[in-house]
Amino acid sequence: MLIWQEEFVLDIKKEEFKENMIDYAKVLYRKPIEEVTPQQAFQTVAFALKDTLVDQWMATHQEFEKQDVKTVYYLSMEFLMGRALGNMVINLCADQVVKEVLGELGLDLNAIEDQEPDAALGNGGLGRLAACFLDSLSTLGYPAYGCGIRYKYGMFKQGIENGFQVERPDDWLKDGNPFEIKRSEYAVEVKFGGYVTVRKDENGRDRFIQENYHSVRAIPYDLPVVGYGNGVVNTLRIWDAEAIDTFNLDSFDKGDYQKAVEQQNLARTICEVLYPNDNHYAGKELRLKQQYFFVSASIQRAVAKYMERHDDIHFLYEKVCFQMNDTHPTVTVAELMRILLDDFGLTWEEAWAITNKTCAYTNHTIMSEALEKWPLELFRGLLPRIYQIVEEINRRFVAEIQARYPGDGKKLERMAIIYNGQVRMAHLAIAASFSVNGVARLHTKILMHQELKDFYEMMPEKFNNKTNGITQRRFLLHGNPLLASWVTDKIGEEWITDLPRIGALATHAEDEKYQKEFMDIKYRNKIRLAEYIRKHNHVEVDPGSIFDVQVKRLHEYKRQLLNILHVMHLYNKLKSNPELDFYPRTFIFGAKASAGYQRAKLIIKLINNVANVINNDTAIGDKLKVVFIENYRVSNAEIIFAAADVSEQISTASKEASGTGNMKFMLNGAITLGTMDGANVEIVEEVGEENAFIFGLSSEEVIAYEQNGQYNPKEIYDNDSDIRTVLNQLVNGFYSPQDPELFREIYTSLLEARGGERADQYFILKDFRSYEEAQRRVQAAYRDRAGWAKAALLNVAHCGKFSSDRTIEEYVKDIWHLEKIKIQA
């Protein structure tokens, strides 16, 4: 892998940077730098830093144009970027200069970083992967745009009140975003609703005209994505919506003040919230509107940019690739077809040939909510021209299926894009894309041989695997500076841009000195997290205890419920036997549940109620503690990963596409406790099963049970008294004395089939004893301090495969076919 930091040296002049800060304090706040507030200090540093990198940003795009490079447009509903300042300082290799300047001004970089809100542009692993990919694309020198939405309030800011999740607006833009640049000159119009008329053009061809529509103006805001030490700055382009007619003066003059701003308010709704609750029609409509809004804006601008330097749209695919990050941006297919057909006047065959060579699709999960299906009437009403195009794609695709598999009506039902009153977006993405990839080897195998088997049999050449990765620059160099400095001191800094180099640590895994230094760093990081917990949760935890951590989106298949039921079981054992040989444990949870996902929210309440009982039981002292970290996000995740001893990756086998949290924990020296699911399989291959704690059903066993229906959780409940006791505590008031029925739904879901849902559909009771046995192995292993240190060190040493740099190189080689650019200092 090419490493450029020796060839590109960013010359940040210390005195000039200081003067810029002083000037910004005056210009922005009319204050001397000594009098700015902490938030104002952040803003002045950010603006001064943007001044430093904007020349690189411009030079990067000038080089793109000079070399006429092919560009990937990474289309994603989410970009979970985290805080920008610290990561930007590191990637500019400017941390020393910035710290010195701030020190001379009486300021501290860490304190200033804490003033920056996490950008509320994403929620879970999908968005964080997109952010890691942008970091890697810039660091590797590949031309790219990230394309998404400039959400005003994100998904939500999670609060915990009386143990319940409450959703509050995440007003991350209230003080402005100093890094963004508004690009009004690239605004485009996006149309919704109305109807389509057909007219003949001068050549007698049908022209499709959308009429009586309402539209919004999409305004791009550009954010810099800085490569590490190479001068390359790519762009994250997020779109905001404005009304075409922002203010109706006539209505205002008549006293109808609401109507005067009606259009502006309707436009703003599009960009207010990530993943609005879609349990009702209006929510579904808004989600589809969001998806089309940012896709249409991004495709329109990408095509226009191409045509500024080229005169033949037929060769768009030679310079542009649209990568659809899961099914949310699948309207890319139809929107590109619309532009080619209606704006450029191409024939269907010409437009389809271009689209087939330009669009690629990443499938991130087999869970039903990700394989989006839109009600036909909703889709047709909101996007009438797009629906016509999808309908024609479906007609031609159905004809292909019938020609290939004559008389096979079942296959047609399974594969059609439009079927049973629904538009099936994953099917559209597969039919139209030249590449369809999964995100871990097991996931891709399940897609090809089970979930998308029909498509794989018909078009196997499209399918490939790209195991996910993470950026070591965010999650080790920035997130765990103590460990990062230690690694660099031991093996050099090449790992920063070539993570497999970290494998050199493996030869020292049994060295007592290395082990002691490594575990000392882990302990210091645990003290840092313990202080965070004390400050935010008002709970004292012992840094000497085992920090057992599960932080991720709350979904039943991820099985936070299995974890907390086991904690309840441990508590029962401690209460029945106070002299039990028990190594102190701190179980740490962090998760947001979707606003409309009631059972997931109830699991959060259960975790908090269990924590309240256990943490206030003086009889067990510090042997067992439970903590739920509120508003889990990138900035506190960095603190958590660095401190974790055990990484809980316990999803039901076959349900997790990849997981990237498992990789972040591994990079920071936590040992995986998990099922053979997603990327866990490949992690175990790299580090060895002896350096992980594996349990539970295999994916094959889970799939077999799902198909044969022979699993009966009631038998386990009836025959296992410990499990029966734990489940009964859900409904006897033990953890909810004021409302004994509070957790009845969880209890029932584990034991009874209801509404088409199998009893214990994620096999929690089936895996319980295997999980308990794995937890006993964790305790025994942790007592062997040298053995634990060796295993933890080997996890760090064997994480080289899981860099997003490697993943991006595979996308480039197999799918995107980009060329690296190089910026001269």
Side-chain angles (χ1 to χ4, degrees):
M1 184 179 292
L2 190 60
I3 301 173
W4 284 336
Q5 54 264 46
E6 294 179 4
E7 299 178 35
F8 187 98
V9 179
L10 179 64
D11 184 19
I12 296 183
K13 294 181 174 60
K14 183 176 165 182
E15 289 307 314
E16 185 178 322
F17 185 72
K18 183 191 290 187
E19 286 303 316
N20 280 348
M21 282 189 59
I22 293 169
D23 288 344
Y24 273 115
K26 293 177 184 176
V27 171
L28 294 173
Y29 306 112
R30 196 173 57 83
K31 287 182 178 181
I33 191 71
E34 297 81 11
E35 295 181 11
V36 295
T37 66
Q39 173 58 216
Q40 291 168 346
F42 158 68
Q43 296 279 341
T44 58
V45 173
F47 275 106
L49 195 66
K50 188 166 75 172
D51 273 5
T52 300
L53 68 83
V54 76
D55 286 336
Q56 290 179 240
W57 201 358
M58 292 168 62
T60 298
H61 287 265
Q62 287 164 2
E63 198 65 29
F64 289 171
E65 293 179 3
K66 177 182 173 183
Q67 297 186 26
D68 193 20
V69 295
K70 185 177 183 180
T71 301
V72 62
Y73 291 83
Y74 197 81
L75 300 156
S76 180
M77 280 291 284
E78 298 186 43
F79 288 92
L80 192 59
M81 304 299 288
R83 293 169 173 166
L85 178 62
N87 205 65
M88 209 172 283
V89 168
I90 281 177
N91 280 9
L92 289 168
C93 301
D95 47 330
Q96 195 59 41
V97 171
V98 172
K99 285 177 181 177
E100 286 179 11
V101 169
L102 293 178
E104 291 173 9
L105 294 171
L107 300 169
D108 176 68
L109 180 58
N110 291 330
I112 287 173
E113 281 191 63
D114 285 340
Q115 291 297 312
E116 181 182 6
D118 284 53
L121 301 174
N123 172 50
L126 184 80
R128 185 53 235 175
L129 181 80
C132 286
F133 278 8
L134 293 186
D135 177 275
S136 288
L137 281 158
S138 291
T139 296
L140 295 169
Y142 292 117
Y145 277 88
C147 302
I149 295 177
R150 185 177 182 260
Y151 300 105
K152 186 175 181 182
Y153 298 116
M155 188 160 113
F156 56 80
K157 186 174 184 178
Q158 183 191 55
I160 300 296
E161 292 183 3
N162 190 31
F164 288 101
Q165 170 180 291
V166 293
E167 299 91 26
R168 304 186 181 109
D170 189 353
D171 196 5
W172 71 290
L173 290 169
K174 67 178 181 180
D175 294 307
N177 182 355
F179 294 113
E180 70 183 10
I181 298 176
K182 186 176 182 179
R183 307 301 299 272
S184 298
E185 69 272 29
Y186 297 140
V188 298
E189 184 181 12
V190 180
K191 301 174 183 178
F192 302 101
Y195 54 85
V196 178
T197 60
V198 184
R199 299 173 190 166
K200 297 291 184 182
D201 65 13
E202 61 274 13
N203 298 316
R205 291 178 55 184
D206 289 342
R207 300 302 303 270
F208 295 83
I209 312 296
Q210 191 170 345
E211 297 185 320
N212 200 30
Y213 56 83
H214 66 274
S215 63
V216 298
R217 181 181 291 110
I219 310 287
Y221 286 73
D222 287 354
L223 293 162
V225 182
V226 180
Y228 181 83
N230 64 357
V232 174
V233 184
N234 277 315
T235 301
L236 169 59
R237 175 161 287 171
I238 50 178
W239 295 88
D240 201 356
E242 294 181 359
I244 300 294
D245 299 313
T246 57
F247 186 76
N248 189 323
L249 184 59
D250 183 58
S251 295
F252 188 85
D253 286 341
K254 292 176 180 176
D256 194 346
Y257 306 129
Q258 196 73 25
K259 188 171 181 60
V261 294
E262 181 180 56
Q263 292 303 310
Q264 184 65 9
N265 290 337
L266 285 171
R268 285 176 176 161
T269 302
I270 293 174
C271 299
E272 298 278 80
V273 174
L274 166 66
Y275 298 143
N277 189 342
D278 63 351
N279 289 350
H280 43 74
Y281 184 90
K284 287 184 173 66
E285 183 181 57
L286 181 54
R287 282 208 186 193
L288 181 56
K289 187 178 284 188
Q290 287 181 328
Q291 292 176 12
Y292 182 66
F293 165 76
F294 95 88
V295 163
S296 177
S298 300
I299 304 303
Q300 286 187 63
R301 179 59 204 146
V303 170
K305 184 176 175 66
Y306 169 83
M307 292 305 295
E308 288 167 6
R309 300 183 60 82
H310 306 87
D311 56 12
D312 191 344
I313 193 65
H314 290 86
F315 299 102
L316 176 72
Y317 63 89
E318 293 184 354
K319 299 298 178 183
V320 171
C321 180
F322 296 121
Q323 184 70 43
M324 299 179 289
N325 191 30
D326 220 1
T327 51
H328 309 120
T330 299
V331 282
T332 296
V333 170
E335 176 65 4
L336 181 56
M337 287 291 291
R338 182 195 68 77
I339 291 170
L340 297 173
L341 292 168
D342 297 353
D343 296 351
F344 287 87
L346 271 56
T347 66
W348 182 276
E349 288 73 20
E350 289 173 316
W352 186 246
I354 295 167
T355 300
N356 275 176
K357 295 176 182 177
T358 308
C359 296
Y361 165 54
T362 299
N363 176 287
H364 277 279
T365 178
I366 59 174
M367 302 304 295
S368 60
E369 62 262 36
L371 298 178
E372 287 182 308
K373 305 173 186 69
W374 293 109
L376 188 148
E377 291 303 320
L378 167 63
F379 196 96
R380 180 165 53 196
L382 187 65
L383 307 173
R385 178 61 179 137
I386 294 299
Y387 176 75
Q388 288 181 335
I389 292 168
V390 172
E391 194 173 44
E392 179 63 12
I393 293 172
N394 179 65
R395 186 188 69 79
R396 292 171 180 248
F397 186 53
V398 164
E400 279 187 58
I401 298 168
Q402 289 174 326
R404 185 82 172 267
Y405 307 101
D408 193 340
K410 290 294 184 183
K411 190 175 285 286
L412 198 62
E413 289 178 17
R414 295 193 298 267
M415 296 182 71
I417 296 165
I418 299 174
Y419 183 75
N420 196 25
Q422 294 182 319
V423 182
R424 302 193 282 197
M425 302 306 282
H427 295 195
L428 174 62
I430 297 166
S433 297
F434 68 88
S435 170
V436 177
N437 72 278
V439 292
R441 195 172 64 241
L442 175 62
H443 169 238
T444 303
K445 179 182 175 183
I446 291 171
L447 290 180
M448 293 191 302
H449 300 294
Q450 184 175 331
E451 298 300 322
L452 302 176
K453 179 181 177 182
D454 294 310
F455 293 91
Y456 177 64
E457 288 179 350
M458 183 173 175
M459 46 192 90
E461 70 284 354
K462 292 188 177 187
F463 284 77
N464 60 94
N465 176 61
K466 299 289 172 282
T467 297
N468 283 342
I470 60 170
T471 170
Q472 64 270 25
R473 291 166 290 278
R474 165 69 74 171
F475 292 105
L476 184 51
L477 187 59
H478 180 264
N480 193 345
L482 292 175
L483 183 57
S485 296
W486 182 81
V487 171
T488 297
D489 181 61
K490 298 302 182 187
I491 65 170
E493 64 180 14
E494 288 82 4
W495 63 271
I496 298 171
T497 53
D498 188 4
L499 190 57
R501 297 287 191 97
I502 209 167
L505 290 173
T507 58
H508 304 286
E510 297 189 41
D511 185 304
E512 289 184 14
K513 182 173 181 292
Y514 273 67
Q515 290 179 358
K516 182 181 185 306
E517 291 172 352
F518 179 84
M519 294 304 289
D520 284 348
I521 290 168
K522 176 65 72 174
Y523 187 74
R524 289 166 68 186
N525 283 324
K526 290 171 76 172
I527 291 173
R528 179 175 66 157
L529 178 56
E531 175 58 24
Y532 180 94
I533 290 169
R534 186 193 64 77
K535 181 179 177 181
H536 291 85
N537 292 74
H538 311 293
V539 175
E540 298 283 348
V541 299
D542 177 12
S545 67
I546 300 172
F547 277 19
D548 185 307
V549 184
Q550 187 177 19
V551 287
K552 56 182 72 238
R553 178 169 60 92
L554 201 304
H555 195 290
E556 288 170 274
Y557 85 84
K558 294 177 183 287
R559 299 204 294 190
Q560 288 92 344
L561 182 57
L562 173 60
N563 190 343
I564 197 62
L565 292 177
H566 175 256
V567 171
M568 292 161 60
H569 171 61
L570 289 180
Y571 181 58
N572 291 340
K573 290 176 68 176
L574 282 171
K575 294 298 287 182
S576 63
N577 181 10
E579 303 305 315
L580 182 71
D581 183 22
F582 188 87
Y583 201 98
R585 310 281 276 277
T586 300
F587 288 91
I588 299 169
F589 295 83
K592 288 182 179 179
S594 178
Y597 193 172
Q598 295 305 317
R599 190 177 297 164
K601 294 170 77 169
L602 193 58
I603 291 169
I604 289 176
K605 171 62 173 170
L606 175 63
I607 293 168
N608 282 301
N609 277 26
V610 172
N612 187 54
V613 170
I614 292 175
N615 296 344
N616 288 292
D617 188 342
T618 57
I620 64 169
D622 289 333
K623 289 182 178 179
L624 185 61
K625 289 288 176 73
V626 181
V627 175
F628 186 93
I629 292 181
E630 183 181 70
N631 201 35
Y632 174 62
R633 58 200 185 279
V634 175
S635 55
N636 58 20
E638 294 177 10
I639 300 171
I640 296 166
F641 294 138
D645 293 309
V646 177
S647 163
E648 294 258 5
Q649 308 298 329
I650 60 176
S651 56
T652 309
S654 80
K655 303 305 179 191
E656 186 71 82
S658 169
T660 51
N662 45 11
M663 303 169 190
K664 295 158 196 166
F665 281 111
M666 182 187 190
L667 179 64
N668 283 274
I671 301 177
T672 299
L673 166 61
T675 54
M676 290 297 270
D677 195 26
N680 290 355
V681 176
E682 291 164 76
I683 286 174
V684 169
E685 284 179 1
E686 295 296 308
V687 76
E689 193 163 347
E690 69 277 11
N691 295 307
F693 303 98
I694 301 303
F695 75 96
L697 297 171
S698 68
S699 59
E700 292 82 5
E701 289 171 324
V702 168
I703 291 168
Y705 274 124
E706 289 175 335
Q707 292 175 344
N708 63 36
Q710 292 180 0
Y711 170 51
N712 181 8
K714 191 68 164 56
E715 290 181 0
I716 296 174
Y717 173 86
D718 290 337
N719 294 315
D720 190 318
S721 61
D722 291 337
I723 290 176
R724 187 165 60 251
T725 297
V726 167
L727 263 60
N728 287 346
Q729 287 174 332
L730 294 173
V731 291
N732 66 11
F734 191 88
Y735 290 105
S736 54
Q738 304 304 316
D739 183 4
E741 290 295 304
L742 178 60
F743 302 115
R744 171 70 64 178
E745 183 188 345
I746 296 174
Y747 172 89
T748 302
S749 73
L750 293 171
L751 296 175
E752 297 177 17
R754 290 194 306 177
E757 179 184 301
R758 296 184 309 274
D760 191 16
Q761 63 176 334
Y762 295 113
F763 301 92
I764 287 170
L765 303 190
K766 187 69 175 175
D767 275 350
F768 186 93
R769 284 301 186 184
S770 179
Y771 178 65
E772 182 202 25
E773 189 274 331
Q775 284 281 13
R776 286 199 297 269
R777 283 187 279 135
V778 167
Q779 176 171 280
Y782 198 80
R783 291 181 188 276
D784 175 6
R785 305 301 288 148
W788 187 274
K790 175 186 173 183
L793 256 171
L794 286 173
N795 269 268
V796 177
H798 288 98
C799 68
K801 172 181 177 177
F802 302 107
S803 171
S804 51
D805 297 346
R806 184 266 314 154
T807 313
I808 288 299
E809 291 285 17
E810 291 180 3
Y811 272 95
V812 167
K813 177 177 177 289
D814 299 336
I815 301 173
W816 300 335
H817 308 298
L818 309 177
E819 293 184 6
K820 292 187 179 186
I821 65 160
K822 189 171 176 182
I823 306 299
Q824 297 299 322

